[in-house]
Amino acid sequence: IHVTDLTGCLRKAWYEKVSPQPEYIHETLARWLGVNFHQSVEGSDEVLDSELPLEDEGLVGTADIVYKDGRIVDLKQSRWIFPSKLPYGSHATQVNIYAHLLRKMGREVTKLQVQYVDASGPTKCRKCKVPVRADDGILKCPNCGNIIANAHLGAVLVDIPIWEEADVEAYISERKENLRGALELGLPPEKEPGYLCGYCSSAGVCRPGEYED
């Protein structure tokens, strides 16, 4: 069971393991871009470990960057990032599970962060259609001088609160037991409808907008 199986929709994870659905060719583009994005930071040295495999009691994951001082940084690529809305979705939960797995491997965890990179580039001025620039720490349009609210320069690093170990273990135990039980019974878990249903390859068989008997 992968970390993202637990932090995402359990029903989606069940379908992917029991009855994977084919993807349209154009839908693989986002995954391809994500793979290449993560490959760009591969390589370990005296400062950090990248793409570090993590495992404990059948739960596996891969931490994007783990610094020797115990800081974990998870990389996320998105489009049209709004800094005030970060972190998105289950990203804080995901990096906290990585922290749990790292501690199980005997390593200290000192800080958690998610590094967002906007594939569409820096925020642009709606009037001038040009990217903002920093002027004494304030993000402005270089043409008209307007201060752009909720702007960024193409990348945003977000600090994530570290959960209590007991809270992480409880979350993992509940989600993992639910998924394993569903796999053993051959019955899909309950639906967890949300905006990600629109991006799920199993939406056609799951029909998230319908109620079950």
Side-chain angles (χ1 to χ4, degrees):
I1 294 179
H2 197 279
V3 170
T4 53
D5 291 334
L6 303 187
T7 59
C9 172
L10 293 183
R11 194 179 182 98
K12 175 179 181 290
W14 185 89
Y15 275 117
E16 288 177 345
K17 296 177 187 301
V18 174
S19 180
Q21 301 298 307
E23 290 182 307
Y24 288 101
I25 295 298
H26 68 276
E27 292 177 342
T28 65
L29 176 61
R31 180 155 44 81
W32 180 83
L33 291 173
V35 169
N36 282 271
F37 170 60
H38 284 78
Q39 286 179 343
S40 67
V41 297
E42 285 186 353
S44 300
D45 53 31
E46 68 278 2
V47 176
L48 60 84
D49 295 310
S50 68
E51 297 297 299
L52 181 66
L54 306 172
E55 190 275 333
D56 180 65
E57 297 183 354
L59 180 63
V60 299
T62 302
D64 292 329
I65 300 174
V66 179
Y67 287 89
K68 304 295 185 180
D69 64 2
R71 179 163 64 104
I72 301 176
V73 180
D74 197 35
L75 305 177
K76 298 294 182 186
Q77 187 178 39
S78 186
R79 292 180 66 85
W80 317 118
I81 288 174
F82 293 93
S84 63
K85 297 182 179 180
L86 301 177
Y88 289 146
S90 60
H91 295 168
T93 304
Q94 183 177 346
V95 74
N96 265 285
I97 296 179
Y98 289 156
H100 165 80
L101 294 176
L102 193 66
R103 286 191 289 264
K104 287 291 186 178
M105 295 170 59
R107 293 183 58 169
E108 182 184 17
V109 175
T110 58
K111 192 170 187 177
L112 305 180
Q113 296 178 308
V114 177
Q115 175 69 71
Y116 289 92
V117 176
D118 196 324
S120 55
T123 303
K124 293 182 179 180
C125 173
R126 292 187 177 182
K127 176 183 177 183
C128 303
K129 309 301 181 183
V130 297
V132 298
R133 291 180 184 173
D135 182 4
D136 290 332
I138 300 175
L139 299 184
K140 300 179 178 180
C141 173
N143 286 356
C144 66
N146 283 339
I147 297 175
I148 312 300
N150 208 24
H152 62 80
L153 296 175
V156 183
L157 185 63
V158 180
D159 291 332
I160 303 298
I162 299 177
W163 293 8
E164 295 290 336
E165 183 67 5
D167 294 335
V168 185
E169 290 181 343
Y171 178 91
I172 292 173
S173 177
E174 178 183 2
R175 302 284 288 179
K176 190 162 65 171
E177 287 179 9
N178 286 345
L179 181 55
R180 280 181 172 168
L183 291 169
E184 290 173 359
L185 293 173
L187 297 173
E190 293 183 5
K191 296 177 181 179
E192 300 178 85
Y195 76 96
L196 290 177
C197 292
Y199 303 92
C200 179
S201 60
S202 299
V205 293
C206 175
R207 297 186 292 279
E210 298 180 4
Y211 290 99
E212 294 181 330
D213 295 333

